[in-house]
């Protein structure tokens, strides 16, 4: 294989390593951000449930006060009827009205009790979610800087290797390599069963022969330099 092609293949190998390192760093950042989002959402859900629970408890207290008030009025009206004093018709109307209101209030109070039970379970789950998401965030945050530092060190050690390979080829080839890499993601492509592995275009027999002779041949389809299958 032509020495320039060997250098370009080596440079491409290092560039792929650099891309993989960048992807790992992006994954680390994405994972940390996702953990922050999950922890924030868990706290917001817990706060919402705590608000609902506080409102439900406040409503239960109001209902209890109203129930006690109507029970007192009901007993007062019953005493009027039992004692024979006052206006019996008014007392009966008061009894009917109080009974109706008590039915409504007690029904709502029962609904509040059922809601309180559901909220108790939901709050327990929400608190567990907060603990779990906080723990995950703490773990990822603690591991983040060391992991990034390791990736940075690997990146910084790989760049000179890539640059050394490119420095060994002429300026025109180097410029074309960089343009192809930036535009297509890679500047070289291996042959596979007589075709370019990147764009799948079949390579002419003359070009295959040129490659075997050690010449540098670009793919007619994607423009990448072709690497022989045994290269």
């Amino acid at each position: 294989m032509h020495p320039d092609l060997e250098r370009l293949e080596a440079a491409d190998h290092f560039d792929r390593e650099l891309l993989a390192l960048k992807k790992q760093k992006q994954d680390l950042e994405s994972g940390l951000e996702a953990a922050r989002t999950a922890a924030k959402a868990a706290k917001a859900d817990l706060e919402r449930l705590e608000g609902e629970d506080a409102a439900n408890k406040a409503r239960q207290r109001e209902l209890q006060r109203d129930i006690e008030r109507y029970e007192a009025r009901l007993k007062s009206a019953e005493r009027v009827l039992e004692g024979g004093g006052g206006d019996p018709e008014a007392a009966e109307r008061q009894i009917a009205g109080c009974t109706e209101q008590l039915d409504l209030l007690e029904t709502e109070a029962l609904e509040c009790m059922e809601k309180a039970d559901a909220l108790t379970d939901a709050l327990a789950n929400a608190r567990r979610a907060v603990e779990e998401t906080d723990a995950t965030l703490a773990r990822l945050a603690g591991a983040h800087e060391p992991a990034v530092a390791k990736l940075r060190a690997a990146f910084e050690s790989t760049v000179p290797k890539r640059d050394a390979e490119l420095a060994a080829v002429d300026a025109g080839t180097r410029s074309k390599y960089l343009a192809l890499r930036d535009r297509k993601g890679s500047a070289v492509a291996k042959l596979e069963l007589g075709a370019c592995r990147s764009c799948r275009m079949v390579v002419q027999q003359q070009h295959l022969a040129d490659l075997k002779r050690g010449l540098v041949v670009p793919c007619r389809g994607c423009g990448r330099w072709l690497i022989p299958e045994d290269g």
Side-chain angles (χ1 to χ4, degrees), residues 2-32:
H2 193 284
D4 279 354
L5 197 54
E6 291 179 353
R7 297 184 183 102
L8 294 174
E9 184 181 20
D12 180 74
H13 169 76
F14 290 128
D15 267 327
R16 290 178 187 276
E17 285 188 357
L18 292 171
L19 283 174
L21 291 170
K22 289 179 180 177
K23 178 66 167 55
Q24 290 177 53
K25 185 175 183 296
Q26 289 172 354
D27 289 345
L28 283 174
E29 300 292 350
S30 297
L32 186 58

Side-chain angles (χ1 to χ4, degrees), residues 49 53 56 112-125:
L49 289 170
D53 187 53
N56 189 59
C112 285
M113 290 176 62
E114 293 172 348
K115 185 175 182 180
D117 290 340
L119 283 168
T120 296
D121 292 339
L123 282 166
N125 291 333

